[in-house]
Amino acid sequence: MTTPALPPRTASVQPAGFPGEEYFLRLSDVGKRFGGVTALEGITLDIRRGEVLGLLGDNGAGKTTLVKVISGVHQPTSGEIRCTGEVTRISTPDRAHDLGIETVFQDLALVPNLPVADNFFIGREMTWNLVPGFIKVLKKREMERDAAETLKQLDIHIPSLRVNVDMLSGGQRQAIAIARAIRWKANLVILDEPTAALSVPEQNKVLELARRLASQGVAVIYITHNMDDVMRVTDRIAVLYRGRLACELRTAETSQDEIVGVIMSGKPPRRMADA
Ligand SMILES: Nc1ncnc2c1ncn2[C@@H]1O[C@H](COP(=O)(O)OP(=O)(O)OP(=O)(O)O)[C@@H](O)[C@H]1O
Ligand SMILES: [Mg+2]
């Protein structure tokens, strides 16, 4: 079977440490302890616009904990986070939302027993005042039209926007969650193992959408254990090992074997140690 080409990687990706480069988030020496357990330690990492960053590591390496720190679920116990230059406390998931940080989890991305269109507008519903100050009515038609327009632009086909999300396939749900992030002009979209349970065409769609987000200048963090996906979709890779950042790699300069070596050993490849 042939693998469809993904949209090109963007030219905006700059070398690590490039002066004046645009980052969206800058983590400096970030740590997270749960009682006696150190889940993260000394994480210093830039998350840049226009780039898909692969966040890799063995089970328990700290990937989800890092995502939860960035998305306001957990507070770091040490270190500092800057958002577009300003030291920022991402104190709650709502605060993360306000900063334009959208996290798409495999199962928790949408509300299953609500229609597609309603899912697009959770927390941001379009309403008009039936009795000013007292009764608000949802603008169902407008919300449907808006959701349909976004999905059409992204070439995502959903049979009806009135069906509940639990009637859709995993890939359709994932595509809707990503489309919603695009609709609300996210600055950073975090995809935590988005293709784990999807068919091959659905996986391709999600990879394509991740690249499309990056080409629109969005920062994307992509968590996966699938090395083929890593090679196809990421620009840069950060490998965590037992809560520490083992190494950052440029996808174009590395190989699956080298990445797996870093994930297993927690050490940068020898070519980098020699440099
Ligand atoms: N709420 C918590 N309380 C105590 N320890 C925790 C908590 N959350 C995570 N940990 C610990 O932190 C470490 C990192 O876990 P985390 O879930 O971030 O790993 P992961 O890289 O996402 O792994 P996986 O690939 O299996 O999803 C683990 O040792 C885990 O047991
Ligand atoms: Mg995890």
Side-chain angles (χ1 to χ4, degrees):
M1 187 170 48
T2 55
T3 312
L6 297 175
R9 284 168 165 72
T10 47
S12 63
V13 180
Q14 293 164 342
F18 186 87
E21 71 193 332
E22 209 186 345
Y23 66 86
F24 173 62
L25 286 185
R26 171 162 286 176
L27 313 187
S28 304
D29 209 17
V30 166
K32 176 67 187 172
R33 266 180 286 106
F34 295 103
V37 178
T38 302
L40 293 174
E41 195 174 359
I43 305 289
T44 294
L45 181 67
D46 276 1
I47 294 154
R48 304 190 191 124
R49 299 178 193 281
E51 186 182 74
V52 180
L53 174 71
L55 185 58
L56 310 185
D58 206 354
N59 296 123
K63 304 179 295 295
T64 297
T65 305
L66 187 59
V67 166
K68 288 185 173 172
V69 165
I70 293 171
S71 50
V73 177
H74 290 322
Q75 291 305 299
T77 36
S78 56
E80 178 181 275
I81 299 179
R82 283 176 183 269
C83 183
T84 56
E86 302 284 315
V87 176
T88 306
R89 228 170 70 80
I90 310 174
S91 45
T92 61
D94 279 348
R95 174 78 182 122
H97 236 231
D98 292 344
L99 294 169
I101 298 170
E102 299 272 349
T103 308
V104 179
F105 292 105
Q106 177 67 34
D107 300 319
L108 303 175
L110 304 168
V111 181
N113 58 356
L114 277 184
V116 175
D118 297 47
N119 261 285
F120 249 75
F121 288 90
I122 286 168
R124 296 145 161 159
E125 289 84 357
M126 293 179 175
T127 56
W128 58 280
N129 288 319
L130 182 63
V131 179
F134 289 98
I135 302 174
K136 284 186 173 175
V137 179
L138 289 178
K139 293 181 175 176
K140 280 262 184 200
R141 283 260 168 75
E142 276 91 334
M143 293 201 296
E144 271 179 27
R145 212 176 298 138
D146 184 297
E149 184 55 35
T150 306
L151 292 171
K152 187 163 158 239
Q153 278 170 17
L154 296 171
D155 198 27
I156 297 168
H157 302 284
I158 306 292
S160 161
L161 300 191
R162 296 187 181 182
V163 299
N164 284 358
V165 159
D166 51 10
M167 303 300 285
L168 300 176
S169 76
Q172 287 171 326
R173 287 186 217 187
Q174 206 69 9
I176 290 168
I178 296 171
R180 187 175 61 179
I182 293 172
R183 165 66 179 81
W184 299 108
K185 304 213 183 321
N187 291 311
L188 166 62
V189 174
I190 305 172
L191 303 165
D192 196 348
E193 305 218 35
T195 61
L198 304 185
S199 67
V200 172
E202 288 176 339
Q203 290 174 14
N204 286 329
K205 185 89 220 173
V206 171
L207 293 179
E208 187 197 313
L209 286 172
R211 290 265 21 122
R212 194 187 299 227
L213 282 171
S215 70
Q216 292 172 354
V218 177
V220 180
I221 297 179
Y222 200 98
I223 298 180
T224 182
H225 290 276
N226 180 325
M227 286 301 136
D228 289 331
D229 286 2
V230 170
M231 299 312 287
R232 286 181 68 201
V233 80
T234 66
D235 298 294
R236 200 160 54 102
I237 293 161
V239 181
L240 296 183
Y241 184 82
R242 298 185 186 169
R244 290 179 159 274
L245 183 65
C247 177
E248 281 179 65
L249 297 163
R250 216 157 262 293
T251 311
E253 295 168 0
T254 186
S255 64
Q256 294 201 13
D257 285 350
E258 191 174 83
I259 299 165
V260 171
V262 177
I263 291 173
M264 302 307 284
S265 70
K267 295 194 172 67
R270 190 162 298 149
R271 67 173 171 89
M272 293 175 81
D274 292 343

